[in-house]
Amino acid sequence: MTLKLPVLTESFDNARVHDVVERCDHPMVEAFADHWRDRCGGSSIPDRADLQIEGLAPWFGHVIIMDVVDGGADFRYRLIGTRITEFLGRDYTGHTVTESNYSGAQEKVLDTFRRPVTEGGPVFRQGCVAWSRDRSWRTYASVHCPLTAGKSEIAMTIGVLYFGLDPVTGPDGSRRFYLG
C-alpha cells in the first residue's frame, strides 16, 4: 500500500516530517478511528471502560496508550505496541515524553498526544519519518483519540501507529537520515 505524503508547506525538524491530515489512507488507522467512534455511545468521548481489550485485537502490536499528565503538559507511555517498539528499537513504556529522547522533535511528539485532548476527538497524522533502527526514511500513518476516566475529564489517549515496510526517499532527497 502506498500512502500519499502531505505537501510540505513548512520546514521539518531533524527527526521527521509529519502533518495532521483530515483522513488517513491507511485502512487499519481508519478502522481504529471508526472503532473509537462506535464506543462513544451517547457521549462525545468514550470512557476507557468502554474499550475492551478483545475489541483491540485487530490492532495488537500497533496500539499506543498515553496517560495525560498535568492536564496535557506531558504524557506518560502506558502501553506501546510491540510492532512500534521493534521499529523504533526502544521502548518508552512508563516514561514521559519529556523524559524520552526525540532528537529535537519533542514538541512535535507532545503535539501528537495533546491535540486529541484539546480538540476532543481523533487526530490523524500521516507523513515520513526517519526513526527506524536503520535510520531509513519510512512512511507512517496514525490516529490518536481521547478517553475519559470515569466519564469525567480526558485522562488518556489511545491510538494506532503504522510504519511503511520499505524505505522511501525522504524530504531531503535521501534514503537515510544522518545526524551530523
Side-chain angles (χ1 to χ4, degrees):
M1 178 176 125
T2 303
L3 294 177
K4 295 177 196 153
L5 293 177
V7 175
L8 301 175
T9 57
E10 57 189 56
S11 64
F12 59 95
D13 64 27
N14 290 343
R16 68 183 181 159
V17 173
H18 79 287
D19 258 327
V20 173
V21 293
E22 186 80 23
R23 304 234 30 111
C24 194
D25 297 14
H26 199 289
M28 294 300 288
V29 172
E30 283 290 341
F32 185 85
D34 291 341
H35 179 74
W36 179 88
R37 287 183 195 101
D38 290 345
R39 297 299 164 266
C40 286
S43 64
S44 60
I45 300 173
D47 192 75
R48 65 184 180 188
D50 297 329
L51 287 155
Q52 302 301 315
I53 192 77
E54 302 82 26
L56 299 176
W59 302 280
F60 281 174
H62 298 275
V63 174
I64 184 167
I65 301 175
M66 304 293 290
D67 291 321
V68 177
V69 176
D70 295 330
D74 205 350
F75 295 84
R76 183 172 309 284
Y77 292 94
R78 178 180 282 242
L79 179 137
I80 306 171
T82 55
R83 298 296 209 139
I84 299 168
T85 59
E86 287 169 1
F87 178 85
L88 298 174
R90 60 186 179 261
D91 184 354
Y92 288 145
T93 301
H95 297 274
T96 64
V97 170
T98 56
E99 294 171 339
S100 306
N101 179 10
Y102 285 103
S103 304
Q106 191 171 41
E107 282 306 312
K108 288 185 179 184
V109 174
L110 285 168
D111 181 64
T112 294
F113 304 116
R114 193 174 287 134
R115 278 183 188 250
V117 173
T118 59
E119 295 178 15
V123 175
F124 295 93
R125 290 189 185 271
Q126 190 167 291
C128 187
V129 65
W131 281 351
S132 63
R133 286 179 178 202
D134 68 0
R135 304 303 295 156
S136 64
W137 288 97
R138 307 289 178 98
T139 58
Y140 79 93
S142 68
V143 65
H144 303 277
C145 309
L147 293 173
T148 61
K151 307 267 185 209
S152 60
E153 65 187 38
I154 296 172
M156 306 167 87
T157 66
I158 187 169
V160 293
L161 174 58
Y162 286 83
F163 295 104
L165 299 177
D166 299 317
V168 297
T169 301
D172 61 355
S174 72
R175 302 278 288 173
R176 295 208 189 291
F177 175 79
Y178 297 98
L179 294 173

